[in-house]
Amino acid sequence: MNEFTNEKKESVELIRFFIRHFKTIVIAVLSSMLISVVVTFFIPKEYLAYGTIFPTSANSLEITLDNPSFGYDVEADRLIQILESKEMQQIIMKKFNLVKYYNLDTTDDSWKDDLQKKYFEDISFSRNISMSIVISARLQDPEMAAAVVNTIIDTINPLREKVIKKNFENAYLSFQKEYFDKKAEVDTLTQKISQMRDEIKDPQMIILSTQQTNLNMMSERRYVNSTQLELAINQYMFEQAILNDIAKRYYKAKYAWERPIPSVYVLDRAAVSHKKVYPSYTLNLLISGFGALILCWILLFLKDKVKEIKKSMAS
């Protein structure tokens, strides 16, 4: 019962407090809201543009044709890494002259860090629940915001191809050297075998019927050449088998390097929107009004308490 009475008494005191200071509170709140409107008017407006893309499930045209599905979380995360890469940043910063846009002082040692910080404050990449990637740009110029997003969308495929094909190029050049080195060995063996066959068919000795020793020497020469020819053919067959294996890897790497990789799926390109997303008059009015109310209540409460303390001390 006493607790209920105390709560009722505190509620009555609170109501009396607001009634007593009603005029002051209303003036403070309205003044704060008016100031927020004026300040909001001078804050630079920002506009949002966004586009949506899906990653591919593989980097091979054959696999993509057999299974033309969207990539999942792993592919989406990898694509975001490319979108956030230094090279992508440099492309966007240079094309849209973001140093000038942000009014950065290049004589300051930290201007590059400031540029990167502002870049990721205004340009973001996020993966949603459907595993698509949303590219957003929030800038003071609506046309520029849309152009930034669409430039990123247009740049992502060449940049992906450059990153992915770097390994393809290394493999291609390595197999190319190995292939032509081995092919030169096989060609040398082919020429050697051809020469040995010619020697056997056309002996370079004059057979004298009266000298049996010359016939024996010619027969011995043919036997020796036949044995060497057989060894050379065996070596040729062995080296040719190796060459065939290298050739398969070489042409596979060559096709992978020369052929394009599958493009990302573009669901939505950015469109220019002239509806500002910042600042918000409604939000600023609510924040300023509520803040002024709380601050005014605290100051008036402290003021009343100080008066009570002074009054009690005087009595």
Side-chain angles (χ1 to χ4, degrees), residues 43-260:
I43 295 175
K45 298 178 179 61
E46 293 183 355
Y47 304 86
L48 179 66
Y50 65 89
T52 308
I53 61 176
F54 274 96
T56 58
S57 59
N59 295 319
S60 168
L61 285 174
E62 288 80 4
I63 297 176
T64 303
L65 287 172
D66 294 337
N67 183 25
S69 60
F70 297 145
Y72 201 56
D73 52 353
V74 175
E75 291 80 10
D77 288 340
R78 289 171 179 168
L79 188 56
I80 288 178
Q81 289 296 313
I82 297 177
L83 289 167
E84 293 180 345
S85 66
K86 290 284 187 182
E87 189 163 357
M88 179 66 81
Q89 294 176 42
Q90 292 298 325
I91 292 171
I92 301 303
M93 290 174 182
K94 182 178 180 180
K95 180 173 182 179
F96 295 96
N97 197 5
L98 295 186
V99 174
K100 181 179 180 181
Y101 172 80
Y102 292 121
N103 295 319
L104 296 176
D105 182 8
T106 54
T107 60
D108 188 349
D109 293 338
S110 63
W111 75 269
K112 291 184 178 180
D113 295 329
D114 294 338
L115 177 59
Q116 187 178 50
K117 180 180 178 182
K118 290 180 179 294
Y119 177 90
F120 282 114
E121 285 177 353
D122 293 340
I123 302 172
S124 62
F125 312 98
S126 59
R127 186 187 73 187
N128 60 24
I129 193 170
S130 62
M131 296 305 152
S132 65
I133 296 173
V134 179
I135 304 169
S136 304
R138 196 177 79 168
L139 302 169
Q140 296 176 16
D141 184 344
E143 285 81 10
M144 181 179 175
V148 167
V149 173
N150 289 330
T151 299
I152 292 174
I153 292 175
D154 294 336
T155 306
I156 184 61
N157 282 322
L159 190 55
R160 284 176 62 245
E161 188 158 336
K162 180 181 177 181
V163 172
I164 293 171
K165 283 198 171 182
K166 185 61 180 177
N167 285 335
F168 290 175
E169 182 182 10
N170 292 336
Y172 164 64
L173 294 176
S174 176
F175 289 139
Q176 183 186 55
K177 183 179 184 305
E178 189 176 353
Y179 170 76
F180 284 108
D181 288 347
K182 183 57 67 176
K183 188 174 184 300
E185 291 183 27
V186 173
D187 290 344
T188 301
L189 281 172
T190 303
Q191 294 176 2
K192 181 179 178 181
I193 291 170
S194 178
Q195 291 175 359
M196 294 177 70
R197 282 175 172 168
D198 291 341
E199 290 176 0
I200 293 175
K201 291 179 181 178
D202 185 21
Q204 297 178 4
M205 295 183 66
I206 299 175
I207 302 175
L208 301 176
S209 57
T210 58
Q211 297 183 4
Q212 184 66 36
T213 55
N214 286 342
L215 290 174
N216 294 337
M217 289 176 63
M218 185 184 68
S219 299
E220 183 179 353
R221 177 182 175 87
R222 287 187 176 181
Y223 175 78
V224 172
N225 286 345
S226 297
T227 303
Q228 291 176 346
L229 177 62
E230 184 177 355
L231 292 174
I233 291 174
N234 290 338
Q235 185 181 1
Y236 166 81
M237 294 176 63
F238 177 75
E239 298 296 342
Q240 183 63 48
I242 297 176
L243 177 63
N244 292 339
D245 182 62
I246 295 174
K248 291 179 182 178
R249 289 180 289 169
Y250 164 62
Y251 284 110
K252 182 178 179 180
K254 183 174 184 289
Y255 293 149
W257 182 62
E258 291 178 345
R259 297 171 68 184

Side-chain angles (χ1 to χ4, degrees), residues 1 238 263 274 298 301:
M1 191 61 144
F238 177 75
S263 300
H274 292 278
I298 293 173
F301 178 79

